[in-house]
């Protein structure tokens, strides 16, 4: 039978070695990443409302927004152990993807979009931002934000 | 007039046929994925099919919405994986504190 005290004494150094050797499982909470996500959510949804008007009238604003979204992606992409957040931003911004990229592509192709289409797609994009925000918030403290 | 329940039945039957082409081990996973997707999307699908039936949206719009919902499901998986990792990271930090605090408590 194993001596419990021996077991405890042996376990702790092994545990410390194990804990010290492992890289972080997820990056630290970043106020900048959180601010980027919440701010860009509001800006993106406001811009989507303009899609009842011709794409050409909002082209400059769209380009500016996409630069900001690219910056937000690059920010988390450069953070250590933040692969999951970077993958979320990548899914959201991909030009040939099914979220913001799809909406902007339809707007560009069709010239303008219907209020019903805009309303429904805003729901999808809003939820996508909420996923990014939820993950970032949970790096700081457990937060019941999952739908 | 077709109802949303008819649509769900059609989906379930179609999914079973599609899954039948998979090897045994993957069939249950595929159907489970399908059910999880339907559970998360049921309210949206009900609204979108109604909009489609009433001519408020086109087939292309409906396709865009469903593909968007699928992309959202991928994002949700990443969130869940991140939440689990964050929980383990906090556990690890707490464990280190425990190791230190226990030593202080017992030996000092």
């Amino acid at each position: 039978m194993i001596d419990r005290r021996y077991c405890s004494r042996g376990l702790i150094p092994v545990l410390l070695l194990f804990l010290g050797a492992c890289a972080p499982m997820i990056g630290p909470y970043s106020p900048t990443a959180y601010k980027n996500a919440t701010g860009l959510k509001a800006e993106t949804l406001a811009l989507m409302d303009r899609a009842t008007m011709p794409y050409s009238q909002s082209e400059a604003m769209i380009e500016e927004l996409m630069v900001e979204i690219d910056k937000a992606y690059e920010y988390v992409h450069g953070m250590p152990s933040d692969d999951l957040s970077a993958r979320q931003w990548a899914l959201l911004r991909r030009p040939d993807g099914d979220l913001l990229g799809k909406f902007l592509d339809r707007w560009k192709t069709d010239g303008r979009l219907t209020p019903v289409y805009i309303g429904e797609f805003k729901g999808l994009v809003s939820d996508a931002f909420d996923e990014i925000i939820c993950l970032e918030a949970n790096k700081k403290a457990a937060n019941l934000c999952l739908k | 007039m077709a109802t949303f329940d008819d649509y769900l039945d059609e989906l379930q039957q179609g999914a079973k046929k599609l899954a039948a082409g998979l090897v045994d081990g993957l069939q249950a996973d595929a159907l489970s994925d399908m059910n999880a997707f339907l559970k998360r999307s049921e309210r949206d699908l009900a609204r979108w099919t109604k909009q489609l039936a009433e001519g408020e949206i086109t087939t292309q719009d409906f396709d865009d919405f469903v593909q968007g919902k699928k992309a959202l499901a991928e994002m949700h998986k990443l969130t869940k994986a991140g939440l689990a990792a964050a929980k383990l990271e906090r556990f690890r930090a707490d464990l280190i504190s425990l190791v230190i605090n226990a030593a202080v408590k017992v030996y000092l």
Side-chain angles (χ1 to χ4, degrees):
Chain A
M1 189 169 164
I2 299 172
D3 185 325
R4 281 182 62 217
R5 287 186 303 166
Y6 176 81
C7 184
S8 301
R9 284 173 193 160
L11 179 67
I12 291 170
V14 170
L15 200 60
L16 279 174
L17 269 177
F18 169 74
L19 293 172
C22 290
M25 293 168 196
I26 194 159
Y29 168 73
S30 161
T32 303
Y34 186 83
K35 192 178 165 200
N36 284 344
T38 51
L40 285 168
K41 177 185 174 184
E43 284 180 42
T44 303
L45 296 180
L47 182 69
M48 290 172 82
D49 276 332
R50 294 174 59 87
T52 51
M53 295 181 286
Y55 181 87
S56 56
Q57 283 182 19
S58 302
E59 202 162 0
M61 291 175 75
I62 293 165
E63 279 175 21
E64 277 173 33
L65 177 75
M66 290 316 291
V67 169
E68 293 307 311
I69 287 179
D70 287 349
K71 280 193 214 169
Y73 164 75
E74 292 299 340
Y75 182 81
V76 291
H77 188 57
M79 299 273 283
S81 307
D82 231 356
D83 180 54
L84 294 168
S85 292
R87 283 163 65 191
Q88 287 189 319
W89 278 106
L91 273 170
L92 176 70
R93 73 176 190 143
R94 266 179 59 189
D96 61 343
D98 290 310
L99 290 166
L100 192 53
K102 171 68 66 64
F103 181 87
L104 295 176
D105 184 56
R106 275 296 298 272
W107 190 3
K108 191 174 187 179
T109 306
D110 294 3
R112 60 178 78 197
L113 300 169
T114 65
V116 175
Y117 186 90
I118 295 166
E120 293 298 338
F121 226 98
K122 274 178 71 181
L124 293 169
V125 171
S126 175
D127 285 352
F129 271 106
D130 286 345
E131 295 286 347
I132 294 172
I133 293 165
C134 177
L135 177 51
E136 198 58 45
N138 269 275
K139 291 175 191 169
K140 188 178 182 185
N143 185 323
L144 296 174
C145 51
L146 272 187
K147 285 186 181 174
Chain B
M1 173 97 180
T3 66
F4 185 63
D5 285 340
D6 295 334
Y7 173 66
L8 286 181
D9 286 345
E10 185 73 23
L11 279 181
Q12 295 284 3
Q13 284 177 22
K16 279 178 193 163
K17 279 182 194 167
L18 286 174
L22 297 170
V23 291
D24 282 350
L26 293 176
Q27 277 185 20
D29 286 349
L31 289 173
S32 166
D33 276 357
M34 169 77 179
N35 285 329
F37 180 77
L38 283 180
K39 196 176 171 189
R40 286 185 61 80
S41 312
E42 191 169 339
R43 273 171 45 188
D44 289 329
L45 283 172
R47 193 173 62 255
W48 296 336
T49 48
K50 185 170 177 279
Q51 289 167 343
L52 184 67
E54 292 173 356
E56 282 187 73
I57 60 169
T58 64
T59 310
Q60 179 63 57
D61 295 344
F62 183 74
D63 186 276
D64 287 358
F65 298 159
V66 175
Q67 298 289 350
K69 199 76 189 174
K70 191 195 78 179
L72 206 50
E74 285 176 52
M75 287 192 81
H76 188 67
K77 275 186 188 173
L78 293 171
T79 307
K80 280 173 75 176
L83 262 55
K87 208 171 178 177
L88 277 173
E89 195 60 37
R90 275 193 289 277
F91 171 74
R92 194 159 73 168
D94 289 347
L95 204 56
I96 289 171
S97 297
L98 178 69
V99 169
I100 295 165
N101 293 337
V104 170
K105 185 180 169 188
V106 171
Y107 296 109
L108 299 180

